[in-house]
Amino acid sequence: MNEIRVFLTPEMANPRILKDSTCVVVDILRATSSWVTAIGNGAKLVRPVTTLKECKSLKSKGFLTAAERGGQKIEGFDLGNSPLEYTPAIVTGKKIAVTTTNGSRSIKYASAAKEIYIGAYLNLKALNQVLQNKGTVVVICSGWEGQPGIEDVIFAGEIVSLLSNTHVYTDDAALIAFELFKKAKQNMYFFLSQAMHVKRLLKLGLKKDIDYCLKKDVYDIVPRLIKDDIVSR
Ligand code: MLT
């Protein structure tokens, strides 16, 4: 059996473990959901960067720019981090530079991995099909400013569950995620309604984003990070 491991926050990501692994970066609300949507709607690539300055600088190179901090779009950028902004009319054929509070940092922490894929409910089935045939799988949960986010951990737990015929969990973080998923799936809405980031987004009037990010298998794609860019696999 192959191994599956979970890092509950990007800061916990251990390069020694990552180097021989297939890594899945997860930020359900909302970065990886936005990136899957962008690629699924025809964007040429998504380039996650960590600073507003670097994001803005790519405008002159023909990129659409997307920036979010604290869940809110930053003034002066083309897009925010709502997946509902990434429509085919806006993104088809475009290169998108993006910086978010957490998701774009997670990508940097994942950089030691052999392969890096983008995971969300929106592409869960396609992602699972890819991971079944991989060796060690590691899921990095983006969370919020260095703290675990329950929505990402529950998703990681579902990956542990889906891979249970081919992969065995070998750390307590994966066990925590698995147990949390088994409990949450009985009443996902109740569980997620308690999540700090769900409350934050609801306060910002972004319930539509939450509902959309929880939809399963909208896209049959598994975007992958190649060098600095997320592209269709
Ligand atoms: C992030 O990447 O930090 C989150 O997706 C924040 C957000 O909801 O925009």
Side-chain angles (χ1 to χ4, degrees), residues 27-35 67-73 80-83 99-106 142-145 151 197 200-201 204 206 209:
D27 184 345
I28 296 298
L29 297 172
R30 304 168 286 175
T32 57
S33 298
S34 292
W35 301 346
E68 166 276 331
R69 290 291 183 272
Q72 294 186 277
K73 180 181 179 298
N81 196 25
S82 165
T99 179
T100 70
T101 310
N102 305 284
S104 43
R105 281 188 319 111
S106 297
S142 296
W144 185 267
E145 294 184 341
E151 67 278 3
H197 195 38
R200 184 179 295 115
L201 293 175
L204 293 169
L206 295 169
D209 282 23

PDB file of all heavy atoms in Angstrom, residues 27-35 67-73 80-83 99-106 142-145 151 197 200-201 204 206 209, ligand 1:
ATOM      1  N   ASP A  27      -7.516  24.644  -0.931  1.00  0.00           N
ATOM      2  CA  ASP A  27      -8.039  25.847  -0.259  1.00  0.00           C
ATOM      3  C   ASP A  27      -9.474  25.981  -0.750  1.00  0.00           C
ATOM      4  O   ASP A  27      -9.759  26.761  -1.659  1.00  0.00           O
ATOM      5  CB  ASP A  27      -7.193  27.063  -0.614  1.00  0.00           C
ATOM      6  CG  ASP A  27      -7.666  28.290   0.167  1.00  0.00           C
ATOM      7  OD1 ASP A  27      -8.785  28.256   0.728  1.00  0.00           O
ATOM      8  OD2 ASP A  27      -6.933  29.290   0.208  1.00  0.00           O
ATOM      9  N   ILE A  28     -10.325  25.157  -0.159  1.00  0.00           N
ATOM     10  CA  ILE A  28     -11.711  25.017  -0.653  1.00  0.00           C
ATOM     11  C   ILE A  28     -12.400  26.372  -0.729  1.00  0.00           C
ATOM     12  O   ILE A  28     -13.067  26.693  -1.714  1.00  0.00           O
ATOM     13  CB  ILE A  28     -12.506  24.048   0.259  1.00  0.00           C
ATOM     14  CG1 ILE A  28     -11.894  22.638   0.178  1.00  0.00           C
ATOM     15  CG2 ILE A  28     -13.998  24.026  -0.108  1.00  0.00           C
ATOM     16  CD1 ILE A  28     -11.930  21.982  -1.174  1.00  0.00           C
ATOM     17  N   LEU A  29     -12.198  27.188   0.312  1.00  0.00           N
ATOM     18  CA  LEU A  29     -12.873  28.506   0.329  1.00  0.00           C
ATOM     19  C   LEU A  29     -11.797  29.586   0.243  1.00  0.00           C
ATOM     20  O   LEU A  29     -11.368  30.120   1.274  1.00  0.00           O
ATOM     21  CB  LEU A  29     -13.705  28.646   1.611  1.00  0.00           C
ATOM     22  CG  LEU A  29     -14.857  27.661   1.786  1.00  0.00           C
ATOM     23  CD1 LEU A  29     -15.457  27.781   3.175  1.00  0.00           C
ATOM     24  CD2 LEU A  29     -15.902  27.839   0.712  1.00  0.00           C
ATOM     25  N   ARG A  30     -11.360  30.023  -0.838  1.00  0.00           N
ATOM     26  CA  ARG A  30     -11.903  29.776  -2.136  1.00  0.00           C
ATOM     27  C   ARG A  30     -10.803  29.598  -3.203  1.00  0.00           C
ATOM     28  O   ARG A  30     -11.093  29.397  -4.367  1.00  0.00           O
ATOM     29  CB  ARG A  30     -12.777  30.972  -2.555  1.00  0.00           C
ATOM     30  CG  ARG A  30     -13.911  31.310  -1.562  1.00  0.00           C
ATOM     31  CD  ARG A  30     -14.537  32.658  -1.879  1.00  0.00           C
ATOM     32  NE  ARG A  30     -13.568  33.689  -1.459  1.00  0.00           N
ATOM     33  CZ  ARG A  30     -13.768  34.980  -1.688  1.00  0.00           C
ATOM     34  NH1 ARG A  30     -14.808  35.412  -2.365  1.00  0.00           N
ATOM     35  NH2 ARG A  30     -12.893  35.868  -1.258  1.00  0.00           N
ATOM     36  N   ALA A  31      -9.530  29.710  -2.824  1.00  0.00           N
ATOM     37  CA  ALA A  31      -8.482  29.828  -3.851  1.00  0.00           C
ATOM     38  C   ALA A  31      -8.450  28.647  -4.820  1.00  0.00           C
ATOM     39  O   ALA A  31      -8.518  28.847  -6.038  1.00  0.00           O
ATOM     40  CB  ALA A  31      -7.118  30.000  -3.191  1.00  0.00           C
ATOM     41  N   THR A  32      -8.350  27.395  -4.298  1.00  0.00           N
ATOM     42  CA  THR A  32      -8.236  26.302  -5.270  1.00  0.00           C
ATOM     43  C   THR A  32      -9.549  26.096  -6.017  1.00  0.00           C
ATOM     44  O   THR A  32      -9.538  25.637  -7.163  1.00  0.00           O
ATOM     45  CB  THR A  32      -7.769  24.995  -4.592  1.00  0.00           C
ATOM     46  OG1 THR A  32      -8.676  24.634  -3.546  1.00  0.00           O
ATOM     47  CG2 THR A  32      -6.361  25.147  -4.036  1.00  0.00           C
ATOM     48  N   SER A  33     -10.669  26.459  -5.397  1.00  0.00           N
ATOM     49  CA  SER A  33     -11.944  26.399  -6.135  1.00  0.00           C
ATOM     50  C   SER A  33     -11.934  27.414  -7.285  1.00  0.00           C
ATOM     51  O   SER A  33     -12.392  27.112  -8.399  1.00  0.00           O
ATOM     52  CB  SER A  33     -13.109  26.691  -5.187  1.00  0.00           C
ATOM     53  OG  SER A  33     -13.168  25.698  -4.161  1.00  0.00           O
ATOM     54  N   SER A  34     -11.361  28.577  -7.035  1.00  0.00           N
ATOM     55  CA  SER A  34     -11.257  29.605  -8.087  1.00  0.00           C
ATOM     56  C   SER A  34     -10.314  29.161  -9.195  1.00  0.00           C
ATOM     57  O   SER A  34     -10.597  29.352 -10.382  1.00  0.00           O
ATOM     58  CB  SER A  34     -10.757  30.922  -7.494  1.00  0.00           C
ATOM     59  OG  SER A  34     -11.724  31.479  -6.632  1.00  0.00           O
ATOM     60  N   TRP A  35      -9.196  28.523  -8.802  1.00  0.00           N
ATOM     61  CA  TRP A  35      -8.201  28.133  -9.826  1.00  0.00           C
ATOM     62  C   TRP A  35      -8.720  27.002 -10.696  1.00  0.00           C
ATOM     63  O   TRP A  35      -8.515  27.001 -11.907  1.00  0.00           O
ATOM     64  CB  TRP A  35      -6.897  27.730  -9.135  1.00  0.00           C
ATOM     65  CG  TRP A  35      -6.321  28.835  -8.298  1.00  0.00           C
ATOM     66  CD1 TRP A  35      -6.670  30.162  -8.317  1.00  0.00           C
ATOM     67  CD2 TRP A  35      -5.341  28.704  -7.261  1.00  0.00           C
ATOM     68  NE1 TRP A  35      -5.960  30.854  -7.374  1.00  0.00           N
ATOM     69  CE2 TRP A  35      -5.135  29.986  -6.715  1.00  0.00           C
ATOM     70  CE3 TRP A  35      -4.605  27.633  -6.752  1.00  0.00           C
ATOM     71  CZ2 TRP A  35      -4.226  30.212  -5.689  1.00  0.00           C
ATOM     72  CZ3 TRP A  35      -3.689  27.864  -5.724  1.00  0.00           C
ATOM     73  CH2 TRP A  35      -3.507  29.139  -5.214  1.00  0.00           C
ATOM     74  N   ALA A  67      -6.518  39.716  -6.845  1.00  0.00           N
ATOM     75  CA  ALA A  67      -5.924  39.879  -5.505  1.00  0.00           C
ATOM     76  C   ALA A  67      -7.008  39.886  -4.433  1.00  0.00           C
ATOM     77  O   ALA A  67      -8.060  40.511  -4.599  1.00  0.00           O
ATOM     78  CB  ALA A  67      -5.123  41.172  -5.433  1.00  0.00           C
ATOM     79  N   GLU A  68      -6.726  39.154  -3.349  1.00  0.00           N
ATOM     80  CA  GLU A  68      -7.638  39.085  -2.203  1.00  0.00           C
ATOM     81  C   GLU A  68      -6.826  39.156  -0.930  1.00  0.00           C
ATOM     82  O   GLU A  68      -5.747  38.585  -0.831  1.00  0.00           O
ATOM     83  CB  GLU A  68      -8.415  37.759  -2.250  1.00  0.00           C
ATOM     84  CG  GLU A  68      -9.149  37.382  -0.971  1.00  0.00           C
ATOM     85  CD  GLU A  68      -8.243  36.672   0.035  1.00  0.00           C
ATOM     86  OE1 GLU A  68      -7.302  36.001  -0.410  1.00  0.00           O
ATOM     87  OE2 GLU A  68      -8.465  36.807   1.247  1.00  0.00           O
ATOM     88  N   ARG A  69      -7.346  39.878   0.055  1.00  0.00           N
ATOM     89  CA  ARG A  69      -6.781  39.871   1.389  1.00  0.00           C
ATOM     90  C   ARG A  69      -7.969  39.917   2.359  1.00  0.00           C
ATOM     91  O   ARG A  69      -8.921  40.674   2.149  1.00  0.00           O
ATOM     92  CB  ARG A  69      -5.847  41.053   1.647  1.00  0.00           C
ATOM     93  CG  ARG A  69      -4.521  41.000   0.877  1.00  0.00           C
ATOM     94  CD  ARG A  69      -3.605  39.882   1.376  1.00  0.00           C
ATOM     95  NE  ARG A  69      -2.287  39.880   0.687  1.00  0.00           N
ATOM     96  CZ  ARG A  69      -2.029  39.243  -0.453  1.00  0.00           C
ATOM     97  NH1 ARG A  69      -2.997  38.556  -1.052  1.00  0.00           N
ATOM     98  NH2 ARG A  69      -0.806  39.276  -0.996  1.00  0.00           N
ATOM     99  N   GLY A  70      -7.939  39.024   3.356  1.00  0.00           N
ATOM    100  CA  GLY A  70      -9.028  39.022   4.325  1.00  0.00           C
ATOM    101  C   GLY A  70     -10.370  38.657   3.719  1.00  0.00           C
ATOM    102  O   GLY A  70     -11.430  38.996   4.240  1.00  0.00           O
ATOM    103  N   GLY A  71     -10.325  37.948   2.569  1.00  0.00           N
ATOM    104  CA  GLY A  71     -11.571  37.542   1.922  1.00  0.00           C
ATOM    105  C   GLY A  71     -12.140  38.593   0.976  1.00  0.00           C
ATOM    106  O   GLY A  71     -13.131  38.337   0.281  1.00  0.00           O
ATOM    107  N   GLN A  72     -11.481  39.752   0.921  1.00  0.00           N
ATOM    108  CA  GLN A  72     -12.020  40.827   0.076  1.00  0.00           C
ATOM    109  C   GLN A  72     -11.118  41.134  -1.119  1.00  0.00           C
ATOM    110  O   GLN A  72      -9.888  41.022  -1.016  1.00  0.00           O
ATOM    111  CB  GLN A  72     -12.191  42.103   0.924  1.00  0.00           C
ATOM    112  CG  GLN A  72     -13.262  41.936   2.011  1.00  0.00           C
ATOM    113  CD  GLN A  72     -13.534  43.227   2.758  1.00  0.00           C
ATOM    114  OE1 GLN A  72     -12.824  43.573   3.677  1.00  0.00           O
ATOM    115  NE2 GLN A  72     -14.580  43.927   2.354  1.00  0.00           N
ATOM    116  N   LYS A  73     -11.727  41.495  -2.239  1.00  0.00           N
ATOM    117  CA  LYS A  73     -10.992  41.899  -3.440  1.00  0.00           C
ATOM    118  C   LYS A  73     -10.217  43.169  -3.128  1.00  0.00           C
ATOM    119  O   LYS A  73     -10.700  44.038  -2.409  1.00  0.00           O
ATOM    120  CB  LYS A  73     -11.976  42.158  -4.575  1.00  0.00           C
ATOM    121  CG  LYS A  73     -11.345  42.601  -5.894  1.00  0.00           C
ATOM    122  CD  LYS A  73     -12.423  42.845  -6.952  1.00  0.00           C
ATOM    123  CE  LYS A  73     -11.819  43.303  -8.282  1.00  0.00           C
ATOM    124  NZ  LYS A  73     -11.085  44.598  -8.193  1.00  0.00           N
ATOM    125  N   GLY A  80     -11.081  39.479  -7.965  1.00  0.00           N
ATOM    126  CA  GLY A  80     -10.820  39.115  -6.559  1.00  0.00           C
ATOM    127  C   GLY A  80     -10.602  37.611  -6.500  1.00  0.00           C
ATOM    128  O   GLY A  80     -10.020  37.031  -7.428  1.00  0.00           O
ATOM    129  N   ASN A  81     -11.149  36.962  -5.459  1.00  0.00           N
ATOM    130  CA  ASN A  81     -10.936  35.511  -5.292  1.00  0.00           C
ATOM    131  C   ASN A  81     -12.258  34.766  -5.273  1.00  0.00           C
ATOM    132  O   ASN A  81     -12.357  33.667  -4.734  1.00  0.00           O
ATOM    133  CB  ASN A  81     -10.166  35.248  -3.988  1.00  0.00           C
ATOM    134  CG  ASN A  81      -9.578  33.857  -3.963  1.00  0.00           C
ATOM    135  OD1 ASN A  81      -9.320  33.259  -5.011  1.00  0.00           O
ATOM    136  ND2 ASN A  81      -9.402  33.317  -2.784  1.00  0.00           N
ATOM    137  N   SER A  82     -13.295  35.381  -5.880  1.00  0.00           N
ATOM    138  CA  SER A  82     -14.562  34.664  -5.989  1.00  0.00           C
ATOM    139  C   SER A  82     -14.536  33.821  -7.262  1.00  0.00           C
ATOM    140  O   SER A  82     -14.345  34.372  -8.356  1.00  0.00           O
ATOM    141  CB  SER A  82     -15.755  35.624  -6.065  1.00  0.00           C
ATOM    142  OG  SER A  82     -16.899  34.897  -6.508  1.00  0.00           O
ATOM    143  N   PRO A  83     -14.737  32.511  -7.169  1.00  0.00           N
ATOM    144  CA  PRO A  83     -14.736  31.680  -8.371  1.00  0.00           C
ATOM    145  C   PRO A  83     -15.810  32.099  -9.377  1.00  0.00           C
ATOM    146  O   PRO A  83     -15.672  31.885 -10.572  1.00  0.00           O
ATOM    147  CB  PRO A  83     -14.997  30.266  -7.835  1.00  0.00           C
ATOM    148  CG  PRO A  83     -15.551  30.439  -6.465  1.00  0.00           C
ATOM    149  CD  PRO A  83     -15.014  31.726  -5.937  1.00  0.00           C
ATOM    150  N   THR A  99      -2.952  36.583  -6.199  1.00  0.00           N
ATOM    151  CA  THR A  99      -2.389  36.518  -4.846  1.00  0.00           C
ATOM    152  C   THR A  99      -3.533  36.523  -3.845  1.00  0.00           C
ATOM    153  O   THR A  99      -4.449  37.348  -3.942  1.00  0.00           O
ATOM    154  CB  THR A  99      -1.406  37.688  -4.565  1.00  0.00           C
ATOM    155  OG1 THR A  99      -0.916  37.556  -3.213  1.00  0.00           O
ATOM    156  CG2 THR A  99      -2.043  39.047  -4.744  1.00  0.00           C
ATOM    157  N   THR A 100      -3.512  35.539  -2.948  1.00  0.00           N
ATOM    158  CA  THR A 100      -4.574  35.446  -1.939  1.00  0.00           C
ATOM    159  C   THR A 100      -3.922  35.339  -0.563  1.00  0.00           C
ATOM    160  O   THR A 100      -2.719  35.115  -0.449  1.00  0.00           O
ATOM    161  CB  THR A 100      -5.468  34.198  -2.173  1.00  0.00           C
ATOM    162  OG1 THR A 100      -4.711  33.024  -1.862  1.00  0.00           O
ATOM    163  CG2 THR A 100      -5.949  34.125  -3.610  1.00  0.00           C
ATOM    164  N   THR A 101      -4.759  35.443   0.463  1.00  0.00           N
ATOM    165  CA  THR A 101      -4.224  35.449   1.830  1.00  0.00           C
ATOM    166  C   THR A 101      -3.461  34.164   2.143  1.00  0.00           C
ATOM    167  O   THR A 101      -2.408  34.185   2.752  1.00  0.00           O
ATOM    168  CB  THR A 101      -5.398  35.604   2.828  1.00  0.00           C
ATOM    169  OG1 THR A 101      -6.200  36.712   2.424  1.00  0.00           O
ATOM    170  CG2 THR A 101      -4.895  35.811   4.238  1.00  0.00           C
ATOM    171  N   ASN A 102      -4.043  33.040   1.708  1.00  0.00           N
ATOM    172  CA  ASN A 102      -3.450  31.754   2.113  1.00  0.00           C
ATOM    173  C   ASN A 102      -3.093  30.840   0.940  1.00  0.00           C
ATOM    174  O   ASN A 102      -2.009  30.280   0.889  1.00  0.00           O
ATOM    175  CB  ASN A 102      -4.417  30.998   3.045  1.00  0.00           C
ATOM    176  CG  ASN A 102      -4.819  31.837   4.233  1.00  0.00           C
ATOM    177  OD1 ASN A 102      -4.056  32.012   5.175  1.00  0.00           O
ATOM    178  ND2 ASN A 102      -6.007  32.425   4.179  1.00  0.00           N
ATOM    179  N   GLY A 103      -4.041  30.689   0.003  1.00  0.00           N
ATOM    180  CA  GLY A 103      -3.858  29.683  -1.051  1.00  0.00           C
ATOM    181  C   GLY A 103      -2.571  29.879  -1.840  1.00  0.00           C
ATOM    182  O   GLY A 103      -1.835  28.912  -2.103  1.00  0.00           O
ATOM    183  N   SER A 104      -2.258  31.130  -2.184  1.00  0.00           N
ATOM    184  CA  SER A 104      -1.060  31.333  -3.009  1.00  0.00           C
ATOM    185  C   SER A 104       0.214  31.095  -2.191  1.00  0.00           C
ATOM    186  O   SER A 104       1.262  30.786  -2.752  1.00  0.00           O
ATOM    187  CB  SER A 104      -1.051  32.729  -3.635  1.00  0.00           C
ATOM    188  OG  SER A 104      -1.435  33.705  -2.707  1.00  0.00           O
ATOM    189  N   ARG A 105       0.104  31.171  -0.850  1.00  0.00           N
ATOM    190  CA  ARG A 105       1.271  30.829  -0.023  1.00  0.00           C
ATOM    191  C   ARG A 105       1.453  29.308   0.033  1.00  0.00           C
ATOM    192  O   ARG A 105       2.577  28.796   0.015  1.00  0.00           O
ATOM    193  CB  ARG A 105       1.091  31.374   1.398  1.00  0.00           C
ATOM    194  CG  ARG A 105       1.394  32.849   1.526  1.00  0.00           C
ATOM    195  CD  ARG A 105       1.393  33.322   2.962  1.00  0.00           C
ATOM    196  NE  ARG A 105       0.316  32.753   3.748  1.00  0.00           N
ATOM    197  CZ  ARG A 105       0.495  31.873   4.731  1.00  0.00           C
ATOM    198  NH1 ARG A 105       1.713  31.447   5.000  1.00  0.00           N
ATOM    199  NH2 ARG A 105      -0.525  31.413   5.421  1.00  0.00           N
ATOM    200  N   SER A 106       0.320  28.596   0.086  1.00  0.00           N
ATOM    201  CA  SER A 106       0.410  27.127   0.173  1.00  0.00           C
ATOM    202  C   SER A 106       1.219  26.551  -0.987  1.00  0.00           C
ATOM    203  O   SER A 106       1.991  25.612  -0.832  1.00  0.00           O
ATOM    204  CB  SER A 106      -0.991  26.515   0.137  1.00  0.00           C
ATOM    205  OG  SER A 106      -1.738  26.918   1.233  1.00  0.00           O
ATOM    206  N   SER A 142      -4.722  24.662   3.285  1.00  0.00           N
ATOM    207  CA  SER A 142      -4.278  26.061   3.359  1.00  0.00           C
ATOM    208  C   SER A 142      -4.677  26.747   4.656  1.00  0.00           C
ATOM    209  O   SER A 142      -3.908  27.550   5.203  1.00  0.00           O
ATOM    210  CB  SER A 142      -4.832  26.844   2.171  1.00  0.00           C
ATOM    211  OG  SER A 142      -4.286  26.326   0.973  1.00  0.00           O
ATOM    212  N   GLY A 143      -5.886  26.455   5.122  1.00  0.00           N
ATOM    213  CA  GLY A 143      -6.312  27.076   6.390  1.00  0.00           C
ATOM    214  C   GLY A 143      -6.367  28.597   6.288  1.00  0.00           C
ATOM    215  O   GLY A 143      -6.581  29.169   5.217  1.00  0.00           O
ATOM    216  N   TRP A 144      -6.137  29.250   7.433  1.00  0.00           N
ATOM    217  CA  TRP A 144      -6.206  30.713   7.487  1.00  0.00           C
ATOM    218  C   TRP A 144      -5.083  31.264   8.361  1.00  0.00           C
ATOM    219  O   TRP A 144      -5.021  30.995   9.545  1.00  0.00           O
ATOM    220  CB  TRP A 144      -7.573  31.173   8.047  1.00  0.00           C
ATOM    221  CG  TRP A 144      -7.716  32.657   8.013  1.00  0.00           C
ATOM    222  CD1 TRP A 144      -7.410  33.531   9.018  1.00  0.00           C
ATOM    223  CD2 TRP A 144      -8.143  33.453   6.913  1.00  0.00           C
ATOM    224  NE1 TRP A 144      -7.632  34.812   8.598  1.00  0.00           N
ATOM    225  CE2 TRP A 144      -8.094  34.815   7.323  1.00  0.00           C
ATOM    226  CE3 TRP A 144      -8.593  33.168   5.614  1.00  0.00           C
ATOM    227  CZ2 TRP A 144      -8.449  35.859   6.481  1.00  0.00           C
ATOM    228  CZ3 TRP A 144      -8.947  34.198   4.768  1.00  0.00           C
ATOM    229  CH2 TRP A 144      -8.865  35.535   5.213  1.00  0.00           C
ATOM    230  N   GLU A 145      -4.162  31.963   7.726  1.00  0.00           N
ATOM    231  CA  GLU A 145      -3.072  32.645   8.447  1.00  0.00           C
ATOM    232  C   GLU A 145      -2.392  31.730   9.473  1.00  0.00           C
ATOM    233  O   GLU A 145      -2.228  32.068  10.645  1.00  0.00           O
ATOM    234  CB  GLU A 145      -3.615  33.930   9.118  1.00  0.00           C
ATOM    235  CG  GLU A 145      -4.051  34.953   8.074  1.00  0.00           C
ATOM    236  CD  GLU A 145      -4.514  36.280   8.655  1.00  0.00           C
ATOM    237  OE1 GLU A 145      -4.846  36.318   9.871  1.00  0.00           O
ATOM    238  OE2 GLU A 145      -4.565  37.266   7.910  1.00  0.00           O
ATOM    239  N   GLU A 151     -12.796  23.318   6.732  1.00  0.00           N
ATOM    240  CA  GLU A 151     -13.277  22.924   5.395  1.00  0.00           C
ATOM    241  C   GLU A 151     -12.176  22.225   4.600  1.00  0.00           C
ATOM    242  O   GLU A 151     -12.440  21.272   3.851  1.00  0.00           O
ATOM    243  CB  GLU A 151     -13.814  24.145   4.645  1.00  0.00           C
ATOM    244  CG  GLU A 151     -12.800  25.205   4.263  1.00  0.00           C
ATOM    245  CD  GLU A 151     -12.468  26.181   5.403  1.00  0.00           C
ATOM    246  OE1 GLU A 151     -12.989  26.002   6.530  1.00  0.00           O
ATOM    247  OE2 GLU A 151     -11.676  27.116   5.156  1.00  0.00           O
ATOM    248  N   HIS A 197     -13.899  30.489   8.659  1.00  0.00           N
ATOM    249  CA  HIS A 197     -13.838  31.160   7.360  1.00  0.00           C
ATOM    250  C   HIS A 197     -15.209  31.221   6.688  1.00  0.00           C
ATOM    251  O   HIS A 197     -15.502  32.157   5.954  1.00  0.00           O
ATOM    252  CB  HIS A 197     -12.815  30.463   6.446  1.00  0.00           C
ATOM    253  CG  HIS A 197     -12.446  31.294   5.249  1.00  0.00           C
ATOM    254  ND1 HIS A 197     -12.287  32.659   5.311  1.00  0.00           N
ATOM    255  CD2 HIS A 197     -12.230  30.946   3.952  1.00  0.00           C
ATOM    256  CE1 HIS A 197     -11.984  33.122   4.105  1.00  0.00           C
ATOM    257  NE2 HIS A 197     -11.964  32.106   3.268  1.00  0.00           N
ATOM    258  N   ARG A 200     -16.713  34.176   8.199  1.00  0.00           N
ATOM    259  CA  ARG A 200     -16.080  35.386   7.632  1.00  0.00           C
ATOM    260  C   ARG A 200     -16.684  35.702   6.269  1.00  0.00           C
ATOM    261  O   ARG A 200     -17.043  36.841   5.978  1.00  0.00           O
ATOM    262  CB  ARG A 200     -14.572  35.132   7.507  1.00  0.00           C
ATOM    263  CG  ARG A 200     -13.755  36.284   7.027  1.00  0.00           C
ATOM    264  CD  ARG A 200     -12.263  35.940   6.956  1.00  0.00           C
ATOM    265  NE  ARG A 200     -11.703  35.676   8.268  1.00  0.00           N
ATOM    266  CZ  ARG A 200     -11.226  34.498   8.663  1.00  0.00           C
ATOM    267  NH1 ARG A 200     -11.276  33.450   7.851  1.00  0.00           N
ATOM    268  NH2 ARG A 200     -10.714  34.338   9.865  1.00  0.00           N
ATOM    269  N   LEU A 201     -16.811  34.671   5.431  1.00  0.00           N
ATOM    270  CA  LEU A 201     -17.350  34.906   4.078  1.00  0.00           C
ATOM    271  C   LEU A 201     -18.833  35.287   4.128  1.00  0.00           C
ATOM    272  O   LEU A 201     -19.290  36.142   3.369  1.00  0.00           O
ATOM    273  CB  LEU A 201     -17.134  33.660   3.217  1.00  0.00           C
ATOM    274  CG  LEU A 201     -15.675  33.324   2.879  1.00  0.00           C
ATOM    275  CD1 LEU A 201     -15.588  31.996   2.119  1.00  0.00           C
ATOM    276  CD2 LEU A 201     -14.997  34.435   2.091  1.00  0.00           C
ATOM    277  N   LEU A 204     -19.282  38.766   4.766  1.00  0.00           N
ATOM    278  CA  LEU A 204     -18.965  39.585   3.579  1.00  0.00           C
ATOM    279  C   LEU A 204     -20.020  39.433   2.488  1.00  0.00           C
ATOM    280  O   LEU A 204     -19.864  39.933   1.381  1.00  0.00           O
ATOM    281  CB  LEU A 204     -17.576  39.183   3.040  1.00  0.00           C
ATOM    282  CG  LEU A 204     -16.381  39.512   3.941  1.00  0.00           C
ATOM    283  CD1 LEU A 204     -15.108  38.837   3.418  1.00  0.00           C
ATOM    284  CD2 LEU A 204     -16.190  41.033   4.044  1.00  0.00           C
ATOM    285  N   LEU A 206     -21.004  36.560   1.011  1.00  0.00           N
ATOM    286  CA  LEU A 206     -20.475  35.668  -0.039  1.00  0.00           C
ATOM    287  C   LEU A 206     -21.026  34.243   0.074  1.00  0.00           C
ATOM    288  O   LEU A 206     -20.342  33.265  -0.236  1.00  0.00           O
ATOM    289  CB  LEU A 206     -18.948  35.677   0.011  1.00  0.00           C
ATOM    290  CG  LEU A 206     -18.316  37.039  -0.330  1.00  0.00           C
ATOM    291  CD1 LEU A 206     -16.833  37.046   0.008  1.00  0.00           C
ATOM    292  CD2 LEU A 206     -18.519  37.377  -1.803  1.00  0.00           C
ATOM    293  N   ASP A 209     -20.705  32.113  -3.025  1.00  0.00           N
ATOM    294  CA  ASP A 209     -19.371  31.518  -3.230  1.00  0.00           C
ATOM    295  C   ASP A 209     -19.248  30.210  -2.461  1.00  0.00           C
ATOM    296  O   ASP A 209     -18.735  29.219  -2.980  1.00  0.00           O
ATOM    297  CB  ASP A 209     -18.283  32.483  -2.735  1.00  0.00           C
ATOM    298  CG  ASP A 209     -18.023  33.604  -3.718  1.00  0.00           C
ATOM    299  OD1 ASP A 209     -18.913  33.901  -4.528  1.00  0.00           O
ATOM    300  OD2 ASP A 209     -16.925  34.180  -3.682  1.00  0.00           O
TER     301      ASP A 209
HETATM  302  C1  MLT B   1      -7.267  32.251   0.607  1.00  0.00           C
HETATM  303  O1  MLT B   1      -6.668  31.875  -0.376  1.00  0.00           O
HETATM  304  O2  MLT B   1      -6.746  32.769   1.574  1.00  0.00           O
HETATM  305  C2  MLT B   1      -8.755  32.137   0.702  1.00  0.00           C
HETATM  306  O3  MLT B   1      -9.216  31.579  -0.450  1.00  0.00           O
HETATM  307  C3  MLT B   1      -9.326  33.486   1.045  1.00  0.00           C
HETATM  308  C4  MLT B   1     -10.614  33.785   0.349  1.00  0.00           C
HETATM  309  O4  MLT B   1     -11.651  33.241   0.727  1.00  0.00           O
HETATM  310  O5  MLT B   1     -10.591  34.552  -0.600  1.00  0.00           O
END
